[in-house]
Amino acid sequence: MASLSVPPVLTPPRDDAVALHKAFKGFGCDSTTVTNILAHRDSAQRALILHEYKAMYHQDLYHRLATELSGNHKNAMLLWVLDPAGRDATILNQALNGDITDLRAATEVICSRTPSQLQIMKQTYRARFGCYLEHDITERTYGDHQKILLAYLGVPRNEGPEVDPSAVTDDARELYRAGEKRVGTDERAFIRIFTESSRAHLVSIANAYQHMYARSLEKTLKSETTGNFQFGLLTILRCADTPAKYFAKVLHKAMKGLGTSNAALIRVAVTRTEVDMKYIKAEYHNKYKGSLAEAIHSETSGNYRTFLLSLVGRDR
């Protein structure tokens, strides 16, 4: 369930574009007005505002925001104004080709999305950056990590709730034989099952594995695999079961200890606000006995804090 708060009576996109243009004029930028408008418009409404702004002022609003804002506030806003596929494509391009390669971020985005989302994202990546996502993954990754990312991007999977009990039992047994029952690990079996299974099927496999071998599939992954390959498998499994719980953990780790991983905080906040942020907030509270909004408030400041809390929603 989304956390985005939209006014009951919307301002016409053209009026929003005019207000944003006024916020950019003069000395400095009226960041409060920018946030008040863009943080309270859904994806379709933001697209209309971008269209109206370009039609009226012959300038791309995205690039104007890049010149008017700064720091983490700018980074978050520039992702937010994109459509979901464009946002994911941009995160992936930055993670694979930015100044600092972030394979965990790239793996998280790919392994947490549905097949239909991935197909649109691949098309957007090609159109936006002039190359195939698979090419950049091949250039930046290797081994089993590369194999699972490419397979997860390329293999079609059912998105429905249908499950074949006999196939579930067979796959659970195959994973056991490929891991715990033998010396070494048959990574090919894990790649095949994790990239070909629907989310419903994979959850059923995990339940069957626990019942058949008195051990969780997640523990098996942790003992049989390592590194980014393990991270990809765990992301697929956890997002098949409860995506909100997975992202609550990502947010907690981003704000835990000294310093804050603003890249992870921004990534989750802007990509999940219109999807399941209310569920993420509930999972965060249940797991960590605290408020996500309060954690964000304590770890951020200024316009950046105001913007993130506008997306996530303050506690009542």
Side-chain angles (χ1 to χ4, degrees), residues 11-310:
T11 306
R14 179 175 286 264
D15 292 352
D16 281 339
V18 170
L20 287 169
H21 188 66
K22 289 180 180 178
F24 299 144
K25 295 177 70 174
F27 182 75
C29 171
D30 181 358
S31 297
T32 300
T33 295
V34 174
T35 294
N36 286 343
I37 294 172
L38 293 176
H40 297 287
R41 303 293 187 272
D42 65 25
S43 181
Q45 293 156 357
R46 296 194 303 274
L48 290 172
I49 294 171
L50 264 68
H51 175 78
E52 290 288 352
Y53 193 93
K54 190 162 191 176
M56 294 173 68
Y57 303 111
H58 309 289
Q59 186 179 28
D60 192 302
L61 178 57
Y62 181 91
H63 292 114
R64 186 63 190 264
L65 288 167
T67 62
E68 295 290 344
L69 305 179
S70 62
N72 289 316
H73 184 212
K74 178 178 80 171
N75 295 337
M77 183 66 78
L78 291 181
L79 283 176
W80 174 245
V81 296
L82 298 173
D83 63 274
R87 187 185 301 139
D88 280 348
T90 299
I91 293 171
L92 283 168
N93 186 259
Q94 291 172 349
L96 294 170
N97 300 309
D99 295 335
I100 300 176
T101 302
D102 189 348
L103 295 181
R104 288 292 178 104
T107 302
E108 176 192 291
V109 170
I110 291 170
C111 294
S112 64
R113 301 307 192 251
T114 65
S116 56
Q117 288 172 333
L118 290 174
Q119 290 306 308
I120 299 171
M121 182 183 70
K122 288 194 297 181
Q123 295 167 8
T124 304
Y125 193 97
R126 168 71 171 161
R128 194 173 183 87
F129 302 109
C131 65
Y132 291 102
L133 174 58
E134 293 88 341
H135 172 270
D136 283 350
I137 289 172
T138 302
E139 290 288 309
R140 297 289 183 266
T141 62
Y142 61 91
D144 293 319
H145 180 225
Q146 180 185 105
K147 291 175 184 177
I148 196 167
L149 292 182
L150 293 176
Y152 205 71
L153 282 169
V155 176
R157 289 177 296 280
N158 181 17
E159 296 188 39
E162 302 82 13
V163 171
D164 180 349
S166 62
V168 166
T169 301
D170 290 344
D171 285 343
R173 187 177 292 114
E174 183 174 351
L175 288 175
Y176 179 70
R177 290 172 177 168
E180 290 188 278
K181 193 177 181 181
R182 56 175 284 168
V183 177
T185 304
D186 180 4
E187 289 86 358
R188 291 172 301 176
F190 283 88
I191 292 171
R192 183 191 69 77
I193 291 171
F194 273 69
T195 60
E196 293 181 3
S197 299
S198 69
R199 287 185 169 183
H201 185 78
L202 192 57
V203 170
S204 296
I205 291 172
N207 292 335
Y209 195 96
Q210 175 74 48
H211 178 74
M212 294 164 66
Y213 305 112
R215 181 176 171 85
S216 75
L217 181 55
E218 182 165 323
K219 286 185 178 179
T220 296
L221 295 178
K222 289 179 178 178
S223 64
E224 295 291 331
T225 62
T226 59
N228 287 324
F229 177 53
Q230 178 191 95
F231 180 74
L233 292 170
L234 288 172
T235 301
I236 293 169
L237 180 61
R238 290 167 177 170
C239 287
D241 185 18
T242 315
K245 184 181 294 185
Y246 171 85
F247 286 110
K249 186 173 183 178
V250 174
L251 288 169
H252 179 70
K253 288 180 68 175
M255 296 183 284
K256 183 181 178 182
L258 293 175
T260 300
S261 174
N262 288 296
L265 178 56
I266 290 169
R267 184 174 67 249
V268 176
V270 300
T271 60
R272 308 310 293 189
T273 286
E274 293 181 279
V275 181
D276 55 359
M277 184 54 73
K278 283 192 175 180
Y279 295 131
I280 293 171
K281 291 169 70 176
E283 291 287 352
Y284 189 97
H285 186 272
N286 291 338
K287 177 72 174 178
Y288 305 110
K289 310 305 178 187
S291 160
L292 175 59
E294 289 179 3
I296 291 173
H297 187 276
S298 68
E299 294 292 328
T300 59
S301 61
N303 294 317
Y304 174 46
R305 171 200 283 166
T306 301
F307 179 61
L308 288 187
L309 289 177
S310 295

